[in-house]
Amino acid sequence: MDIFERLKQAAAADWAAYVEHDFVRQMGDGSLPQAAFRRYLVQDYLFLIQFARAYALATYKSRTLADMRAAKAGLSAILDLEMDLHVRLCGRWGLSPQDLEAAPEHQATIAYTRYVLDCGQSGDLLDLHVALSPCVIGYAEIGARLASDLGAALESHPYRDWIAEYAGEAYQQLASDARRHLDGLAARAMAEARFGDLAGLFGKASRLEADFWQMGLEGAQV
């Protein structure tokens, strides 16, 4: 069992609240209101800007070239892959990249991203990657599950582009590499007595992910 699986099991309730959230369920069955998805996308764009900073911090915190390259891969995935998806999807509503960058950050966006950055600033590289892992690895799990459940129906699904992006080979490989890197970091830097603190950190990040989905759902009510 790798460190990521151990963290998921230790924070099982928080993890389930995140990956089984109503936002995810509604996105999967196609019933998610467009207003909720749009609010989520705009905030997720702002979220990714802060996560790019977190990966830049990971480069600074790295002590080996391998760790630096792992951080570079995460930064590239955000700047060259995920943000392009958001720009493309938001462009359908007439929103430019400048519009997205000018949007005010929601409290849920601030809470989650600054928590991750604080973990990185006050802790070490392992703390930072544990805080990042629910997002980078969790999205791969969610995307793969939704794509598998939908099968051929994905082709005509209203949220096809989002699901296909995170279920796609490029993102799945990124998440697999991130998971393997996290396990390697734990092998090098984690005494067993530290696991409880890391599990608490992971659980908090997962709860903040659930709050982020909830923020999106509430966008359908305003």
Side-chain angles (χ1 to χ4, degrees):
M1 184 186 302
D2 69 1
I3 187 65
F4 186 74
E5 191 63 33
R6 289 187 63 195
L7 290 167
K8 284 201 304 182
Q9 290 189 12
D14 295 320
W15 183 255
Y18 160 41
V19 299
E20 298 171 14
H21 194 277
D22 277 349
F23 186 100
V24 176
R25 180 185 58 77
Q26 292 178 30
M27 183 162 55
D29 66 23
S31 65
L32 182 69
Q34 188 180 89
F37 189 64
R38 174 174 172 169
R39 187 187 210 192
Y40 155 77
L41 276 180
V42 171
Q43 288 300 312
D44 202 43
Y45 187 87
L46 301 174
F47 174 104
L48 289 172
I49 292 172
Q50 300 303 322
F51 260 45
R53 294 177 63 215
Y55 276 106
L57 177 60
T59 303
Y60 175 76
K61 289 274 184 173
S62 295
R63 293 175 178 265
T64 70
L65 286 174
D67 290 339
M68 290 180 182
R69 291 188 179 104
K72 177 176 178 282
L75 181 59
S76 177
I78 289 173
L79 296 179
D80 303 327
L81 183 70
E82 291 188 79
M83 294 184 88
D84 284 349
L85 170 69
H86 290 61
V87 168
R88 195 165 67 246
L89 293 176
C90 287
R92 297 175 183 175
W93 293 299
L95 294 171
S96 69
Q98 293 74 27
D99 293 328
L100 296 176
E101 290 181 45
E105 286 183 287
H106 189 276
Q107 181 178 349
T109 310
I110 295 170
Y112 187 11
T113 58
R114 296 338 185 260
Y115 174 72
V116 170
L117 285 165
D118 181 66
C119 287
Q121 290 280 7
S122 61
D124 64 6
L125 189 61
L126 179 58
D127 289 312
L128 178 53
H129 278 289
V130 167
L132 287 164
S133 64
C135 180
V136 63
I137 304 173
Y139 268 44
E141 288 197 7
I142 291 168
R145 187 182 79 230
L146 293 181
S148 177
D149 289 347
L150 285 164
L154 180 61
E155 289 302 313
S156 58
H157 195 277
Y159 299 114
R160 175 188 66 249
D161 289 347
W162 190 96
I163 295 170
E165 186 80 25
Y166 291 104
E169 182 178 351
Y171 193 84
Q172 289 293 312
Q173 185 62 57
L174 172 82
S176 178
D177 291 344
R179 183 167 181 160
R180 187 163 47 251
H181 180 246
L182 179 65
D183 204 44
L185 277 176
R188 283 186 276 141
M190 189 191 82
E192 193 57 33
R194 186 180 174 188
F195 179 77
D197 290 339
L198 292 173
L201 192 160
F202 182 90
K204 177 68 177 292
S206 298
R207 290 195 300 276
L208 289 167
E209 280 281 12
D211 290 346
F212 198 76
W213 292 137
Q214 187 61 35
M215 172 272 302
L217 270 188
E218 291 169 357
Q221 303 167 11
V222 296

